Amino acid sequence: MSKPVYLAVYNTLADWEPGHATAQLARAGYGIRTVGPTLEPVTTVGGLRIQPDLALDDVRPSDAALLILPGADLWDTGDELAPFARKAREFLDAGVPVAAICGATAGMAREGLLDDRDHTSAISFYLAATGYGGGERYVEADAVTDGGLVTAGPTEPVAFAREILRLLKVYDDEAVDAWYRLFHGSDAEAYAVLEKAGVL
C-alpha cells in the first residue's frame, strides 16, 4: 500500500489549487491526509471549514509519499506559514517530494529552496519581491519539476496535478499526457485513451 499524501491546510487556502491532484491521487489509491498548523479547524478562502488530520509538528517525511502546499493569502502577509516552508525543506532533504503552487512558491523562495532549482510561479517579479537568489532559474512554464520539487502558478492546477502524477509515477506517460489533454483542453480523443488505460 502506498504511503499517504500530505495536503497542507491553513486559513485562506486557495480551494481550487490542489483539487485535481488530490482527487486523482485518491482515485489511484493514495490516502490524502490533511496537515494543519495545529489540530484546530481552518477555513479556506472559499469558506470551507477543514478539520486537519495531523498537526504540522507531528509530520515526518518518512511517513509520506508527497507534501502538497497550496497557495493562501497568508503566504504573503507575514511569517505564519513559514513553518510549512521549513517542513518542505525537511521533506526535500529526506528525498521526499514537495509540490508548491501559487503563494506557496513564495514560501519556497523565502526558504531558499528555489535558489538552485528550476521553478515557476505566477510571474517572475512575484518571486523577485521575496529577495530570493534563484531568479536566473525561473522558467516561463505552466508547471516545473526539479529536484523533487514541483512548482506552478495559481492558474495552473491541472498542470500542477500533471507534474505530481508524473513525479509519483501514478500512470505511464501516455496516460498522464491524455489526462492533461482531457482536463486542460477538453480533448475528447484523450478520454478514449484514459478509458482504455483504466484511468476513468
Side-chain angles (χ1 to χ4, degrees):
M1 187 173 182
S2 300
K3 292 180 179 180
V5 169
Y6 287 166
L7 171 65
V9 296
Y10 19 71
N11 289 321
T12 72
L13 180 152
D15 309 60
W16 64 93
E17 293 174 350
H20 282 285
T22 55
Q24 207 60 45
L25 289 168
R27 284 184 170 182
Y30 284 87
I32 308 296
R33 305 205 62 200
T34 54
V35 178
T38 67
L39 290 177
E40 291 297 311
V42 300
T43 304
T44 70
V45 74
L48 300 180
R49 185 177 162 91
I50 300 173
Q51 175 70 57
D53 296 315
L54 295 163
L56 185 64
D57 286 345
D58 296 327
V59 168
R60 295 189 304 270
S62 60
D63 297 334
L66 171 74
L67 173 64
I68 299 177
L69 298 170
D73 294 345
L74 291 180
W75 283 111
D76 296 320
T77 58
D79 295 329
E80 189 173 337
L81 298 186
F84 284 91
R86 290 193 291 273
K87 186 61 72 170
R89 176 179 290 282
E90 187 181 328
F91 268 63
L92 292 167
D93 287 348
V96 180
V98 173
I101 185 170
C102 189
T105 61
M108 301 302 94
R110 291 185 193 96
E111 184 62 21
L113 296 174
L114 304 184
D115 289 355
D116 300 312
R117 291 179 173 91
D118 289 345
H119 60 276
T120 194
S121 184
I123 197 163
S124 61
F125 60 75
Y126 169 65
L127 291 185
T130 69
Y132 82 129
E136 292 183 357
R137 302 294 295 268
Y138 188 89
V139 180
E140 293 288 353
D142 54 10
V144 173
T145 302
D146 188 358
L149 179 61
V150 175
T151 53
T155 60
E156 298 295 345
V158 179
F160 183 61
R162 178 197 67 210
E163 294 301 300
I164 290 170
L165 296 175
R166 281 181 180 161
L167 186 63
L168 295 184
K169 297 180 170 51
V170 175
Y171 308 120
D172 64 29
D173 289 343
E174 182 184 20
V176 171
D177 178 64
W179 180 89
Y180 178 74
R181 288 188 287 114
L182 178 64
F183 284 93
H184 185 263
S186 300
D187 184 343
E189 291 181 6
Y191 186 90
V193 175
L194 294 173
E195 198 169 39
K196 183 179 179 182
V199 174
L200 295 178

